[in-house]
Amino acid sequence: MDKFVVVIAECEPGGVTPASLECVEEAREVADQLGARVQVILCGSAVAALAEILAAHGADQVTAVEHEALAQFSADGWLQALAPMLLHAHPLLLLAPDSGQIRAWLPRLAVRWRLPLVGCCMRISIVGDGYPEIIRNTYGGACQERLIWPYATLVGAMLTPGVRGVGPPQVERHAEVTVIHPELDPAHFRDRTVRTLPADPKTVSLNEAERIVSGGFGAGGPAGMGLVKQLAEQLGAALGGTRVAADRGWLAVDRFIGSTGQIVAPKLYMAFGVSGAGQHLSGITASELVIAVNSDRTAPILKRADLGVVGDLHQILPILIRKLQALAAPAVTLETTP
Ligand SMILES: Cc1cc2nc3c(=O)[nH]c(=O)nc-3n(C[C@H](O)[C@H](O)[C@H](O)COP(=O)(O)OP(=O)(O)OC[C@H]3O[C@@H](n4cnc5c(N)ncnc54)[C@H](O)[C@@H]3O)c2cc1C
């Protein structure tokens, strides 16, 4: 009988969330160590078409659980739809993104099944005779824990988004696809999504932000950090920074980035006055485009940056902010009288 590592994937408009693809890739590595297959379960109204992308990142089987009542997220709906699937799948290991939605329903299932469920997971591997080993952040990232289950028991792991990043797709891979239409009773969903609001960059979780502007000790104080913040606002980006900036009180402590802070994977990461210490760089490895401004041309961040600018942030930031303000300003039409 086939053995499975099961992933619960989440959708977003137009595709699968990057955090879900990270889980599929992590599951692929774990499954290869166990000689198992990767089964991905996803929920929605018409989600079977996403099987291709899941296969390209490592899925062997995709189970699409479809119902029109699942078009919008509901913790009760997901639980009703997925609990029987998961029971049937009999996984060796269960992986899911550590997201707000997963946290809304999976712990309820874990309590019901007495399933050990671990959040803030950074890495999963197999040790000994096939026991899962999970490395996870704890105490807000101040230290890491290594957990091993030396018993044949199912473990659920919620993977921190952005830790491993998404690798290139293997387009030649294919998966078996099963579509299931469960019988659901939406009248018994006690929660439902009424509307989805665009995320506020100021409050969006850093590991889900697409753009981040960061300030370090080189900002020189709250005034310099204020300029970094102004640029972030102008770009619709989230504000981040280094641990030193947070320790100085220039930045909220939950917004510093690095091995003991937030792990991020934005499309754009801009760093001002950040030296690029190893502990900081390990938090931005999955960033797509890194732009750094530093007055010291030997600063390590400039080696990591795709675009490095050697200069004084106090001169560069006001110019950048003014340019962006001019671009954002509505065009003025001049009327001339003959
Ligand atoms: C156990 C441990 C865990 C840690 N975890 C983390 C972590 O998770 N995240 C983290 O960030 N740090 C962490 N640190 C701290 C880390 O080692 C560095 O000290 C820190 O990242 C440096 O912060 P910084 O780049 O802001 O400051 P600095 O290293 O002081 O760098 C400031 C930079 O600004 C530049 N600069 C100065 N003035 C200007 C200017 N006017 N214009 C442009 N550039 C300028 C300088 O050239 C310099 O490169 C940890 C340390 C330890 C010991």
Side-chain angles (χ1 to χ4, degrees):
M1 207 170 104
D2 284 338
K3 298 180 287 182
F4 287 100
V5 173
V6 169
V7 176
I8 299 160
E10 294 182 295
C11 306
E12 60 183 7
V16 177
T17 63
S20 301
L21 296 178
E22 288 179 283
C23 286
V24 177
E25 292 184 3
E26 189 80 7
R28 176 75 271 152
E29 283 176 14
V30 172
D32 287 344
Q33 290 180 59
L34 288 168
R37 288 161 67 77
V38 175
Q39 181 185 10
V40 180
I41 301 180
L42 78 168
C43 222
S45 67
V47 288
L50 299 172
E52 224 171 276
I53 180 85
L54 293 164
H57 288 273
D60 299 306
Q61 282 192 11
V62 174
T63 305
V65 182
E66 296 190 345
H67 192 290
E68 59 181 26
L70 300 172
Q72 297 289 339
F73 177 74
S74 152
D76 276 353
W78 256 237
L79 200 56
Q80 240 186 64
L82 292 178
M85 293 301 108
L86 291 169
L87 200 60
H88 183 253
H90 253 297
L92 295 175
L93 188 70
L94 180 64
L95 261 76
D98 200 343
S99 71
Q101 289 191 355
I102 294 286
R103 280 185 174 236
W105 67 270
L106 191 55
R108 287 162 60 188
L109 190 69
V111 170
R112 206 186 278 176
W113 288 357
R114 295 170 176 259
L115 165 79
L117 181 64
V118 188
C120 305
C121 297
M122 312 288 282
R123 216 171 44 246
I124 301 163
S125 51
I126 300 298
V127 294
D129 288 340
Y131 313 130
E133 177 194 77
I134 296 178
I135 308 287
R136 71 150 177 184
N137 266 353
T138 186
Y139 295 113
C143 61
Q144 291 194 335
E145 257 176 3
R146 178 170 163 259
L147 305 168
I148 298 177
W149 281 266
Y151 311 103
T153 177
L154 167 62
V155 175
M158 298 190 293
L159 215 60
T160 302
V163 172
R164 64 169 292 144
V166 181
Q170 293 172 275
V171 285
E172 69 287 355
R173 287 194 93 264
H174 297 286
E176 283 167 39
V177 184
T178 311
V179 182
I180 291 178
H181 300 284
E183 281 192 17
L184 298 177
D185 183 1
H188 282 100
F189 295 2
R190 289 166 303 173
D191 66 301
R192 64 195 171 94
T193 304
V194 180
R195 70 195 157 109
T196 309
L197 304 171
D200 180 351
K202 290 196 203 87
T203 52
V204 71
S205 150
L206 274 176
N207 48 38
E208 288 178 24
E210 293 208 335
R211 299 175 199 171
I212 298 175
V213 176
S214 267
F217 186 56
M225 205 61 184
L227 287 173
V228 176
K229 191 171 168 197
Q230 245 181 293
L231 179 71
E233 280 169 11
Q234 204 66 43
L235 287 171
L239 178 70
T242 63
R243 183 166 168 166
V244 171
D247 286 349
R248 299 263 158 170
W250 308 342
L251 181 76
V253 280
D254 61 351
R255 296 194 83 80
F256 82 80
I257 293 164
S259 53
T260 54
Q262 303 287 328
I263 307 284
V264 300
K267 291 198 164 81
L268 172 67
Y269 185 76
M270 295 181 85
F272 291 87
V274 171
S275 59
Q279 291 95 345
H280 186 78
L281 293 183
S282 64
I284 64 164
T285 45
S287 304
E288 276 180 34
L289 180 74
V290 175
I291 299 177
V293 174
N294 199 299
S295 52
D296 174 6
R297 64 175 59 249
T298 66
I301 189 90
L302 295 176
K303 287 203 182 74
R304 169 64 182 86
D306 301 283
L307 174 66
V309 179
V310 178
D312 183 348
L313 65 88
H314 299 283
Q315 288 177 0
I316 292 169
L317 274 169
I319 298 171
L320 258 178
I321 294 164
R322 272 202 304 277
K323 289 261 181 212
L324 286 164
Q325 278 167 345
L327 282 173
V332 178
T333 314
L334 288 179
E335 282 183 21
T336 50
T337 42

